[in-house]
Amino acid sequence: MPELPEVETVKRQLTAVLIGQSIKSVKVLRDKSFIGSPQEVIGSELISINRKGKMLVIEVRSKETGVKEEKFILIHLKMTGQLIYQTHNGDSDRIVGGHPNNSWTNQLPDSHTRVIIELSEGTLFFNDQRVFGWVKVVTTKELEVILSKMPPDIIDPEVTTEFLYTLVKRSNRPIKLVIMDSSRLGGVGNIYANDALWDAGIHPYRKANTLTKVETKRLLESMKKVVNLGIELGGATAADRKFVNTQGFGGKYQDFFLTYERRGLACKREDCSGVIEKISIGGRGSYFCPVCQK
DNA sequence: TTAAATGTTTAAAT
DNA sequence: CATTTAAACATTTA
């Protein structure tokens, strides 16, 4: 569930409280969830937090004299990852992010806790119900290699109409699969892909190479628009229908879904009488209006 | 009991 | 080689 806006929101919230703290200990409760050695970062100070695609990049620096090399803690939440921070003072000032479920409000660690990072002033819990996500320690060089293989994010300025048009022209797959292809374009997950296609009036199953340049431009603008709106609203809190958030945690984008999870509901476009349908494209739920998306 | 949900990654096929 | 498809990953819920 966590997509680019949700990860960006976690990044901003954690940056405000974690920078300058040092790592006291790292407990790995599930081996699969932690790649590398915890020893490499114990005693280090947190310098900065950045994001590439849906991956968090935490820069840490050893405080030992003579040790100059920086390391990076990479975190990917994948589908059900969460980061929950609470100070040693207790629960009252918790920061939660990622997949919304009752771990947000549970006493931690709970059954989904995979990694516990003890900091100087608080504790950072990495929870992950389905264990697809990970925490990884890498060197500067390793990070460079990883970043060099990643495509630009949808909200990066280098993603222009030209960029998307060349991408679109060389594929006859459904357009929705092309914009969600994380090896070509970063940061477009299922929610925002559905909403952007609706906003641009393009059918998700449309063959990518049949898009005109005008449609490509419109689609690009729609993608940037919905992802940026997601960021402004602090991401979406919708995935676990049983989880009712009573403490004001989470984003607001779910209140603005254009098509996502709107099967059977009226199309939101003015003067459109369509009803949102749901089909499966590439195994992903795809919502669209059969009337105004061509 | 089976399918669906979700984001990548990897292997296999075209 | 480039492109595309399918399977894998783990777990819960419909």
Side-chain angles (χ1 to χ4, degrees):
Chain A
M1 211 297 293
E3 297 201 23
L4 186 147
E6 289 76 31
V7 177
E8 176 67 20
T9 301
V10 182
K11 184 201 93 178
R12 292 179 183 182
Q13 296 184 132
L14 290 182
T15 297
V17 295
L18 297 190
I19 299 308
Q21 293 202 45
S22 55
I23 299 174
K24 297 300 179 192
S25 71
V26 177
K27 281 184 209 140
V28 178
L29 282 66
R30 180 73 81 102
D31 283 346
K32 279 208 65 171
S33 302
F34 196 98
I35 301 156
S37 165
Q39 277 309 125
E40 296 178 82
V41 294
I42 289 173
S44 293
E45 180 183 350
L46 306 189
I47 305 298
S48 68
I49 306 179
N50 284 290
R51 178 192 55 72
K52 175 71 178 176
K54 299 167 190 169
M55 180 176 77
L56 285 172
V57 180
I58 304 176
E59 177 186 9
V60 302
R61 191 175 297 156
S62 172
K63 291 197 281 193
E64 268 179 66
T65 51
V67 182
K68 284 183 183 169
E69 197 189 1
E70 289 155 321
K71 293 246 162 79
F72 296 84
I73 300 174
L74 309 183
I75 300 178
H76 204 302
L77 301 175
K78 291 289 180 83
M79 300 188 294
T80 58
Q82 306 170 305
L83 284 170
I84 300 172
Y85 173 80
Q86 66 186 28
T87 66
H88 289 145
N89 297 330
D91 242 24
S92 54
D93 42 10
R94 237 184 214 207
I95 290 177
V96 305
H99 183 66
N101 67 13
N102 52 19
S103 291
W104 275 10
T105 49
N106 280 353
Q107 184 155 42
L108 296 178
D110 69 4
S111 60
H112 298 138
T113 303
R114 311 300 181 201
V115 179
I116 303 173
I117 300 176
E118 202 64 50
L119 300 167
S120 40
E121 292 165 35
T123 310
L124 184 64
F125 295 92
F126 174 75
N127 274 33
D128 189 8
Q129 186 170 279
R130 290 171 210 177
V131 205
F132 284 9
W134 38 253
V135 180
K136 188 188 303 196
V137 179
V138 298
T139 62
T140 304
K141 282 184 178 176
E142 288 168 328
L143 177 65
E144 278 170 13
V145 172
I146 291 168
L147 292 181
S148 71
K149 290 178 183 167
M150 294 178 72
D153 290 344
I154 179 62
I155 54 174
D156 290 344
E158 62 191 287
V159 177
T160 58
T161 301
E162 282 304 324
F163 177 93
L164 186 62
Y165 196 57
T166 46
L167 214 61
V168 147
K169 273 299 150 194
R170 68 169 180 231
S171 174
N172 64 348
R173 309 169 79 192
I175 181 62
K176 179 156 181 279
L177 293 180
V178 173
I179 60 177
M180 286 182 68
D181 184 345
S182 61
S183 68
R184 310 274 179 189
L185 177 63
V188 184
N190 199 31
I191 295 174
Y192 299 94
N194 278 305
D195 279 4
L197 284 164
W198 178 89
D199 190 67
I202 297 169
H203 194 292
Y205 204 71
R206 179 87 173 273
K207 300 280 185 195
N209 55 18
T210 68
L211 262 68
T212 65
K213 197 155 191 178
V214 172
E215 287 175 315
T216 304
K217 182 167 185 285
R218 206 182 327 138
L219 177 57
L220 179 71
E221 286 166 357
S222 293
M223 287 193 287
K224 286 180 186 276
K225 186 173 104 181
V226 295
V227 170
N228 279 315
L229 179 62
I231 292 173
E232 280 174 39
L233 294 172
T237 309
D240 189 333
R241 235 58 48 77
K242 293 187 68 179
F243 175 64
V244 179
N245 177 9
T246 53
Q247 302 197 10
F249 291 145
K252 294 282 177 285
Y253 184 74
Q254 68 279 2
D255 299 335
F256 296 82
F257 282 164
L258 301 170
T259 58
Y260 193 71
E261 290 186 332
R262 288 182 50 78
R263 171 162 54 178
L265 300 178
C267 175
K268 284 190 172 180
R269 200 182 307 275
E270 202 174 338
D271 296 329
C272 178
S273 59
V275 173
I276 301 299
E277 288 181 15
K278 183 184 183 185
I279 58 174
S280 179
I281 300 177
R284 293 317 183 243
S286 303
Y287 301 83
F288 70 102
C289 172
V291 176
C292 64
Q293 287 178 260
K294 294 301 173 192

